[in-house]
Amino acid sequence: MASEETQTRNHTVRDARDPSPGGTGGDGAAAVTGAPARKGTTRVWTTRLVVVGIMLSALNLRPAITSLGALLEEVRDGLGMSGSVAGLLTSVPPLCFAVFGVMAPRLARRFGPAAVVCAGMAAIAAGLVIRPFTGGTPGFLAASALALMGIAVSNVLMPVIVKRWFPDRVGSMTGAYSMALALGTSTAAAVTVPVTDALGGDWRSGLAVWAALAAAAVLPWLPVLQDRGASSAAGAETAQGEPFRRETAQGEAEAAPVLRITRSRTAWALAVFFGLQATAAYITMGWMAQIFRDAGVAAGTAGLLLAVTMVMGVPLAFVIPRLATRLPHQGPIVLALGVCGLAGYAGLYFAPAGGAWAWAVLLGVSNCAFPLALTMVGMRARSGPGVAQLSAFAQSTGYLLSIPGPLLVGVLYQHSGGWGLPIALMVALMIPQMAVGWLAGRDRTVEDEATGR
């Protein structure tokens, strides 16, 4: 049945792209000359380019952040940053994700998602190559914001591209994209310091080198944008495919309930849980390497430890969502991840260097609250429109809530002269994360709490 639907979609796409009657030139001339075959070949190569573009783009969605975390001490010394300003720098990513991510759907409607992602990769490349050479903190922050703007819009639109081009392979393509994202995150953390040393020890070169990867990610999208026919076909394929019909059918059936999402306690619990786990993640990416370095761990080893923390998300991003969907209440998973986080923070306080590898693994497990949060978004609403509304509310509110955390860590570090108070703050934030995560994991939906009357 699925193969028949796929064939029907492909036939519809061919008909949409061929203006002649019947979609084959009317008199069969096109079949004789082989034009449909050439179209099919072009479509295959364009699809392959989209796959390459997705993978390369996913690789670029975190190196701008984790490469900076590995060299934060050198950047602070080179630009004369205070601890508070460095904390502000680590708060920029969630701020940009909250602000610029909202713009992505509107830009995609006007220019197309592939064009916006291509422009996003160009913005990442420009921001990364400019920011080390701006000569001051304001310019460094502005160039970082440019790169993060590109990441924000690309992060939002990559799933859209996957669904548009691969409606029958959403799961496998999303898994591959997630693995590429985690790989880029961990690789940047692991190799930035060795690459910097190989380039003469200049932190500017060590940060700027990641612009080359972003520039490479621009290239596959250019032929895709030129092949407007293929792009239109992809849109037609999505429109004619089963996912679109199913969504439309659900929309008609589920249009009656009007959700007032802010009335839902579950929505608020999920939004706060999303924000607190994002806070922990950005504190980890921005400061963990520095914690290890201040404890006497070598810079290169500290980068590897951060990479270990980030790479834990590769296997667990597949395991945790599957486990969560099999449980009526996801609270036990929330608690297990929280306990790992508390153990990791305790290790950073009492023996940061002695058990560094163990603490890195524990914090990596704890940071896998992100895929759990995304899974719970899909489980806490019955309808497609409800999931979309809950996702927008939870993520936008959550990213806004996560902004002060990394900044406050920098302020506490500067004024206390050590990591005792910052780690105490991390522990203090983990407790409510576990509490609201337990509430968000209860077996109920926002439609039960937020339906307008």
Side-chain angles (χ1 to χ4, degrees):
M1 184 66 181
S3 60
E4 292 176 358
E5 290 174 352
T6 302
Q7 292 172 0
T8 301
R9 290 197 299 267
N10 292 339
H11 179 73
T12 305
V13 171
R14 288 194 296 270
D15 290 351
R17 292 179 60 183
D18 191 342
S20 59
T24 58
D27 57 0
V32 174
T33 59
R38 288 195 296 272
K39 288 182 180 180
T41 302
T42 301
R43 169 66 174 160
V44 169
W45 279 104
T46 303
T47 302
R48 291 175 180 174
L49 284 172
V50 172
V51 173
V52 174
I54 289 173
M55 300 304 289
L56 283 176
S57 298
L59 285 171
N60 281 280
L61 294 181
R62 293 299 181 269
I65 303 171
T66 52
S67 63
L68 177 60
L71 294 174
L72 187 58
E73 181 176 324
E74 287 79 4
V75 173
R76 288 179 56 195
D77 294 341
L79 297 179
M81 286 185 185
S82 65
S84 299
V85 174
L88 174 63
L89 188 61
T90 58
S91 295
V92 169
L95 174 62
C96 289
F97 290 169
V99 173
F100 296 122
V102 176
M103 301 165 50
R106 182 177 300 176
L107 293 172
R109 284 194 297 269
R110 181 169 183 178
F111 301 105
V116 178
V117 170
C118 182
M121 294 299 110
I124 295 171
L128 292 184
V129 79
I130 291 172
R131 73 175 180 177
F133 306 104
T134 55
T137 299
F140 191 94
L141 289 171
S144 295
L146 174 62
L148 292 167
M149 177 180 66
I151 294 173
V153 296
S154 301
N155 207 31
V156 170
L157 295 179
M158 291 288 283
V160 176
I161 292 176
V162 167
K163 187 172 183 179
R164 170 172 291 190
W165 282 88
F166 308 98
D168 54 344
R169 287 184 287 163
V170 171
S172 59
M173 287 301 301
T174 301
Y177 147 75
S178 300
M179 289 184 64
L181 191 153
L183 180 62
T185 304
S186 56
T187 300
V191 308
T192 295
V193 172
V195 168
T196 302
D197 294 338
L199 295 175
D202 185 1
W203 62 268
R204 293 174 176 83
S205 300
L207 290 181
V209 71
W210 294 102
L213 183 62
V218 174
L219 300 179
W221 295 111
L222 298 178
V224 175
L225 298 181
Q226 293 175 354
D227 186 7
R228 295 181 180 275
S231 299
S232 299
E237 183 171 357
T238 302
Q240 298 293 336
E242 182 67 20
F244 182 85
R245 290 201 302 269
R246 184 167 60 247
E247 181 179 342
T248 301
Q250 288 181 348
E252 294 173 355
E254 298 162 353
V258 177
L259 297 182
R260 298 183 179 180
I261 202 71
T262 55
R263 288 185 174 183
S264 170
R265 295 181 180 180
T266 299
W268 277 108
L270 191 52
V272 176
F273 176 69
F274 192 96
L276 290 174
Q277 66 81 27
T279 300
Y282 285 109
I283 289 174
T284 299
M285 284 189 282
W287 290 107
M288 195 179 81
Q290 189 63 51
I291 294 174
F292 286 128
R293 292 181 67 173
D294 286 352
V297 177
T301 303
L304 287 174
L305 289 165
L306 179 58
V308 168
T309 300
M310 298 297 104
V311 82
M312 292 300 297
V314 176
L316 292 180
F318 289 98
V319 174
I320 290 176
R322 291 183 179 183
L323 178 60
T325 55
R326 296 178 181 178
L327 297 176
H329 193 315
Q330 291 73 48
I333 305 178
V334 171
L335 296 184
L337 297 180
V339 168
C340 288
L342 292 175
Y345 293 144
L348 288 180
Y349 182 81
F350 290 107
W357 296 100
W359 318 143
V361 170
L362 286 169
L363 291 174
V365 174
S366 178
N367 281 345
C368 288
F370 175 68
L372 176 61
L374 293 181
T375 304
M376 288 197 292
V377 166
M379 298 180 69
R380 295 287 85 86
R382 287 194 299 266
S383 65
V387 170
Q389 193 171 351
L390 176 60
S391 178
F393 174 75
Q395 293 200 43
S396 60
T397 304
Y399 276 128
L400 288 174
L401 290 174
S402 71
I403 292 171
L407 174 60
L408 188 55
V409 167
V411 172
L412 291 175
Y413 174 60
Q414 179 182 0
H415 289 282
S416 67
W419 287 106
L421 286 179
I423 292 174
L425 172 66
M426 299 176 203
V427 171
L429 292 176
M430 183 60 68
I431 301 300
Q433 177 180 322
M434 296 166 68
V436 294
W438 180 273
L439 295 176
R442 293 176 299 175
D443 187 13
R444 59 189 62 191
T445 64
V446 293
E447 285 88 351
D448 297 330
E449 303 173 340
T451 302
R453 297 297 181 187

